Structure formats: C-alpha cells, structure tokens
Amino acid sequence: MTLTEFIAALDALGADGPARIAAATDLDSWTEVRNALIGRQSGRLTELMGALGALPKEDRREAGQRANTVKVALEAALEARRAELAAAEAAGGRALDLTMPARDRWYGAVHPVSRVIDEVVEIFRELGFAIALGPEAEHAWYNFGALNFPPDHPAMDLHDTLYVGDEQVLRTHTSPVQVRTLQQYPPPIRILAPGNVYRSDPFDPSHAPMFAQIEGLVVDEGVSFADLKATLSHFARRFFGASTRTRFRPSYFPFTEPSAEMDVQCGVCAGSGCSVCKHSGWVEILGSGMVHPAVLEAAGLDSERYTGWAFGMGPARTAISRHGIPDIRILYDSDVRFLDQFAR
Ligand code: PHE
C-alpha cells in the first residue's frame, strides 16, 4: 500500500464514520457501529493501523498522525452519540428523532360574546358596581308581575315565553334580578347582572331562543335621569372609544318610566350608513329608564324615598355590530373555523 492509498482509505473512513454513528438508533446498534469502526478485532481503523507497518518507512510517521486524528474524531462522535442514546433510553426507550415536525400549538379563544361581557363588567366594576346573579328558571312574578307587567301583557303569552310550570318560566330578561337584589340588600345599590335569557323565538339570522343579557341597576336616594345618561354615555365612550357619539330615544318598558333606548354611532361605517346599522348610521345598544315606582314598591322599598335607574343590553348584538357578523347563529354553532379568528 502506498501513502496515497492509505490516506484515501482514512479519508473514506473519516467521511463515512459520522453518518454511520448518527444512524445508530439504540445502544445495541451503536455497539455494532463502534466495533465496525474502531473495534480491536475487526474495526476498519484497527485494520488500517495494522497496515502501517507495510508502508515505506519514511511515510509511517505522517500516516500514523493522520490515523490518530481520525481515531480521535471517531471516538468523540461515538461518545457523543452514546450519551444521547443512553439519555433517550433512560427517558423511555426512544431515541430523539430530530427530523420529526414540531407539534402545532393550539391557542384557546375567548368567545366574542364572552369578551363583550368581560369588558362591560370591567368598565362598570371601575364605577363601583357589584355582580349579582339570579336563576334562569324563574317565578313568573319576578319575571313579569313584580316588574309592573299588566296581567294581560302579550309578553306573558305562551307564544313568546317558555313556561316550565304553571308559574315558572325561563326568564325572558335579566330584569328579575333587579327585584331579587332589591329584596335582598338595602340601598345604595349598584349592580350588574349578566346571564342567559330565553324567548320562544325561531332560530334565524337575527334571533336566537337563548341569548345573554347584561342588566344594570342603581338605586339610592336622589338618583336622577342625569345619572343614567352620564353613566351610560361614559360606558359607551369607554367601550366603543373616546369619540363615540350616543343618542337617547324615548321608549317604553313596563318597569321603567321614563324609558329610553341608547344608540351609538355605527362603528363599522362611522355613521355614514351600512348594512350593519341598516343604513341609519346608528346601532341600538341598550334599553334603559328610571325604575318604575311600582317596581320599588313590589320589592318592599319606599318609592318616595328612593329612586333608581336600570338598563339592559344584549352582548351578542354588540359583538355582531362590532365584528360585522352577518348571522347571529354563527355565534352559537361552535364552528372552530369561526372561533379560531378570535384566538390571540
Ligand atoms: N329587560 C329589557 C329587555 O329585555 C331591557 C331593559 C332593562 C330595559 C332595564 C330597561 C331597563 O328588553
């Protein structure tokens, strides 16, 4: 063998060795690879070392040094791979497969309606409102009678309200929580009551048989319509943005007098008119009014001494106008293609 042939054989081993070492997938195959490369009996490097003596005397020194360099490199690569395989074996028997694609992370999302509720609650919490809750299966007296609905009011019809018993309904609004709170706590009262309500409506693009509402109630001595207007205008600017315009329109509810609906300028078209605001430039956000004296009296309060105001809003409506959602049913479909859009 000539020096050139010897070096070529060493280079081949030096090039080929690391790939063979990396290909060992467990400690058994690692041992085979090590024996084939540097084993005392039949290792390729051992063979080459044995051939050193057959080289011309003046070439042996260089050949020996080169062989040693390859040996050191192979030993280092073998030891590194052995440590990896031993660690993997200790961790459950599988070698690390660095070619495996990383797993996709799944981000959770807060539902757009829950997000509206959370934000509304936060804004009123800053103003000192507490949270109050009431039952969804409610006595008809709390849902209607105590709220000054006349006995023949059409809302009480089987056609509009889901009855679960003679006197028991699925609440059609969160206003019964007003009465329950007034019975339970003395004024001053400032509460927010989020929760689900039910109506015997068809499930169509603008109606759902169950949806969320957020009720607000303030009762104390000397509370006026100015408090209502200032608080709700502040809320609109905090929720929709500092430059948001609002307007109050006269309205009617049996349990408030006077009553008003609050509109905000449409956020989608900035008031110029679009399909979300039905080309009016305004979106209705909530119903409100001064608590009717009959409601205070029904809850056992002196309506000469106390006054109050209340509001009720539908967070689904707000989410719809905020995101320009074309069909309310999408909110309740649990379709991850829709919900994923809200993941952060
Ligand atoms: N309860 C009314 C509704 O469901 C909303 C409302 C609440 C209006 C409080 C005035 C005061 O439409």
Side-chain angles (χ1 to χ4, degrees), residues 225 228-229 232 246-253 256 258-264 282-289 310-312:
F225 196 89
L228 176 160
K229 221 180 154 182
L232 294 178
T246 53
R247 73 177 184 190
F248 288 81
R249 277 181 296 104
S251 184
Y252 174 79
F253 302 100
T256 49
S259 306
E261 278 166 338
M262 184 176 82
D263 298 342
V264 299
W282 296 92
V283 179
E284 183 195 319
I285 290 303
L286 53 83
S288 66
F311 74 91

Side-chain angles (χ1 to χ4, degrees), residues 172-173 175 178 199 213 215 253 255-256 287-289 310-312:
T172 59
H173 53 177
S175 299
Q178 288 189 32
R199 294 196 189 162
Q213 275 194 344
E215 190 86 7
F253 302 100
F255 38 93
T256 49
S288 66
F311 74 91

Side-chain angles (χ1 to χ4, degrees), residues 115-288:
R115 210 144 109 190
V116 171
I117 294 171
D118 291 349
E119 291 175 28
V120 172
V121 165
E122 188 51 36
I123 292 168
F124 281 93
R125 204 213 302 276
E126 290 171 0
L127 299 175
F129 284 64
I131 301 298
L133 301 174
E136 292 181 18
E138 181 59 282
H139 196 283
W141 184 78
Y142 282 102
N143 196 82
F144 297 121
L147 290 167
N148 197 39
F149 282 70
D152 57 352
H153 194 285
M156 290 156 67
D157 203 284
L158 282 170
H159 188 74
D160 296 310
T161 299
L162 295 160
Y163 282 78
V164 289
D166 280 350
E167 304 271 320
Q168 200 82 3
V169 301
L170 295 182
R171 65 180 180 189
T172 59
H173 53 177
T174 43
S175 299
V177 184
Q178 288 189 32
V179 182
R180 288 183 173 275
T181 305
L182 291 172
Q183 284 182 330
Q184 216 175 335
Y185 303 99
I189 282 169
R190 281 193 297 266
I191 57 115
L192 213 60
N196 288 327
V197 306
Y198 302 80
R199 294 196 189 162
S200 180
D201 276 333
F203 208 11
D204 70 26
S206 50
H207 294 90
M210 185 198 83
F211 54 96
Q213 275 194 344
I214 306 175
E215 190 86 7
L217 173 70
V218 173
V219 173
D220 200 357
E221 292 179 29
V223 173
S224 73
F225 196 89
D227 298 312
L228 176 160
K229 221 180 154 182
T231 309
L232 294 178
S233 304
H234 165 82
F235 159 71
R237 287 192 297 269
R238 281 282 280 111
F239 187 89
F240 295 101
S243 60
T244 302
R245 295 185 56 201
T246 53
R247 73 177 184 190
F248 288 81
R249 277 181 296 104
S251 184
Y252 174 79
F253 302 100
F255 38 93
T256 49
E257 181 60 31
S259 306
E261 278 166 338
M262 184 176 82
D263 298 342
V264 299
Q265 208 164 48
C266 179
V268 174
C269 64
S272 60
C274 68
S275 62
V276 168
C277 60
K278 301 195 186 76
H279 304 281
S280 71
W282 296 92
V283 179
E284 183 195 319
I285 290 303
L286 53 83
S288 66

Side-chain angles (χ1 to χ4, degrees), residues 30-50:
W30 177 90
T31 304
E32 282 171 28
V33 173
R34 187 204 54 191
N35 289 343
L37 295 174
I38 60 170
R40 258 179 241 284
Q41 301 295 320
S42 55
R44 180 70 180 129
L45 191 71
T46 315
E47 268 173 36
L48 287 171
M49 297 283 216

